[in-house]
Amino acid sequence: MKIGIITRVNCASCIKIAKRILEIIPEDWEVFLEMKLAMALHKKGYNFSNIKADILIVIGGDGTILRTAQFSKGKILGINVGGLGFLSEVEIGSIEESIYNLIRGNYREYSVMKLDVFINNRLFGKCINDVVIHTGKISKIRKFSVYIDDKFMENTSADGVIVATPIGSTSYSYSAGGPILIPSLRAMVISYIAPFGSRLRPIVCPETSSVKIKSIGKYDSIVILDGQKERKINENDMVEIRVSREHLTFIEMKDSFFERLRTKLIKDVVN
Ligand SMILES: NC(=O)c1ccc[n+]([C@@H]2O[C@H](COP(=O)([O-])OP(=O)(O)OC[C@H]3O[C@@H](n4cnc5c(N)ncnc54)[C@H](O)[C@@H]3O)[C@@H](O)[C@H]2O)c1
Ligand SMILES: Nc1ncnc2c1ncn2[C@@H]1O[C@H](COP(=O)(O)OP(=O)(O)OP(=O)(O)O)[C@@H](O)[C@H]1O
């Protein structure tokens, strides 16, 4: 078994948890430590992109998972240390129990879709949450032309446009007024950030669709994948988003999606 262990940067408690995990896992498991964690433990380390394992234990929060998903290969078990940890499966109090379950193979798996993002027909990258096309200048609105399957849908003036997956529908798109897509749904949702005077509401399209977006105006915009990778674009650039043939697998031990929804998303409203 090949195991990758990645921690949030500058997180002493994450490093401590990683050390404990190294004491528990079987000696015959091959371990790949992310570079910064390895340096803290005075062991051999690997860049994110060189970590290709059966299982990736990610200790931190959502962003560390999203960053790992950008660059590393493997099924992800997230251990939440500190933040919201919506994508994380394990909370602080059940780390050892979860690692023993992992060793015994006592877990379920679920796959989430990825998006392929092209700029001018060249693959820019993939993401599991969302693609955000945002104005590059604060308080300078952009006009976004959106095409679905090459059919013109609408020009909307806004701060930005979000194309989210089901797993990402509970993040930026949700904050922008978008719907929650159940993770098993194979679809994308297009939401707008602060749309100006538009009656256009978020729109859901099938996994087979191609979504093309141009950002019109003399200032640049920025394309951001999962908050982890970005590139400037201008009005001559065309961004195309399609559901990828690749997917990402998460390890699940207890929390169902609805449990995470109740406890991590609507908790402030309901309780
Ligand atoms: N206003 C907003 O809600 C807003 C703004 C910018 C980015 N984001 C999200 O942040 C993500 C990047 O995460 P980060 O931690 O690096 O950024 P970050 O540190 O700015 O955190 C953004 C927040 O979104 C939460 N989050 C991330 N993925 C989620 C998901 N699938 N469902 C529910 N909540 C989720 C994180 O836990 C964190 O609380 C982007 O993919 C985007 O979806 C949200
Ligand atoms: N090992 C790393 N190397 C470089 N950057 C990292 C690393 N781990 C995390 N980051 C960056 O730090 C940001 C914040 O990390 P993370 O989201 O895990 O913490 P958090 O915000 O406290 O948790 P949550 O997102 O669950 O609220 C991430 O967006 C990610 O880009």
Side-chain angles (χ1 to χ4, degrees):
M1 177 74 82
K2 291 183 177 175
I3 295 280
I5 303 182
I6 296 104
T7 51
R8 179 170 63 227
V9 66
N10 303 329
C11 171
S13 51
C14 301
I15 293 168
K16 228 168 123 190
I17 291 167
K19 270 174 89 168
R20 181 64 190 127
I21 291 172
L22 286 170
E23 290 163 0
I24 298 177
I25 56 175
E27 283 178 11
D28 61 348
W29 283 14
E30 202 179 346
V31 180
F32 299 83
L33 301 178
E34 187 270 325
M35 191 60 80
K36 295 179 191 70
L37 168 62
M39 283 166 65
L41 298 179
H42 309 296
K43 292 177 180 288
K44 181 171 185 234
Y46 296 82
N47 291 326
F48 274 99
S49 48
N50 294 336
I51 298 178
K52 293 172 179 53
D54 300 303
I55 290 176
L56 299 168
I57 299 174
V58 184
I59 308 165
D62 292 323
T64 308
I65 288 175
L66 294 168
R67 182 179 184 82
T68 302
Q70 272 292 321
F71 303 107
S72 307
K73 295 279 181 235
K75 297 173 187 172
I76 287 184
L77 175 66
I79 297 177
N80 182 31
V81 177
L84 176 70
F86 191 87
L87 301 172
S88 300
E89 177 61 28
V90 180
E91 299 294 336
I92 288 281
S94 57
I95 294 175
E96 295 204 6
E97 174 203 354
S98 301
I99 298 300
Y100 284 121
N101 281 329
L102 187 70
I103 294 166
R104 293 184 200 111
N106 183 15
Y107 56 83
R108 299 182 299 280
E109 295 178 2
Y110 66 94
S111 290
V112 298
M113 64 190 225
K114 287 187 178 181
L115 299 179
D116 285 337
V117 183
F118 302 85
I119 299 177
N120 304 326
N121 298 315
R122 288 169 67 92
L123 183 67
F124 170 44
K126 298 173 184 288
C127 57
I128 61 170
N129 256 3
D130 43 38
V131 190
V132 178
I133 303 173
H134 197 282
T135 176
K137 202 169 175 67
I138 291 178
S139 85
K140 278 293 171 196
I141 205 164
R142 286 277 75 82
K143 182 159 77 175
F144 297 97
S145 300
V146 179
Y147 302 79
I148 297 182
D149 299 327
D150 291 317
K151 295 182 188 70
F152 175 62
M153 181 179 81
E154 174 63 301
N155 283 330
T156 299
S157 293
D159 287 1
V161 187
I162 305 163
V163 180
T165 64
I167 197 102
S169 70
T170 47
S171 192
Y172 209 162
S173 175
Y174 183 75
S175 301
I180 293 173
L181 304 186
I182 306 294
S184 54
L185 188 65
R186 302 275 306 172
M188 294 179 267
V189 54
I190 305 169
S191 304
Y192 294 93
I193 305 168
F196 182 72
S198 165
R199 290 191 308 281
L200 188 61
R201 292 285 170 266
I203 189 161
V204 179
C205 49
E207 63 168 328
T208 51
S209 283
S210 149
V211 178
K212 289 182 178 176
I213 300 172
K214 282 181 86 69
S215 165
I216 313 294
K218 66 180 165 131
Y219 297 109
D220 287 343
S221 288
I222 307 171
V223 180
I224 309 140
L225 310 187
D226 282 354
Q228 305 304 317
K229 181 177 181 184
E230 64 183 59
R231 180 176 296 177
K232 266 193 189 150
I233 60 165
N234 61 44
E235 61 182 4
N236 303 313
D237 295 316
M238 174 68 86
V239 181
E240 181 178 9
I241 299 128
R242 298 201 297 263
V243 171
S244 177
R245 279 202 289 270
E246 265 185 49
H247 61 269
L248 179 71
T249 302
F250 280 94
I251 286 175
E252 185 177 70
M253 290 182 179
K254 54 176 179 45
D255 291 355
S256 72
F257 170 73
F258 294 106
E259 163 112 15
R260 292 208 302 275
L261 206 57
R262 283 191 303 277
T263 56
K264 298 195 173 185
L265 210 64
I266 55 182
K267 61 184 183 310
D268 300 334
V269 175
V270 174
N271 307 330

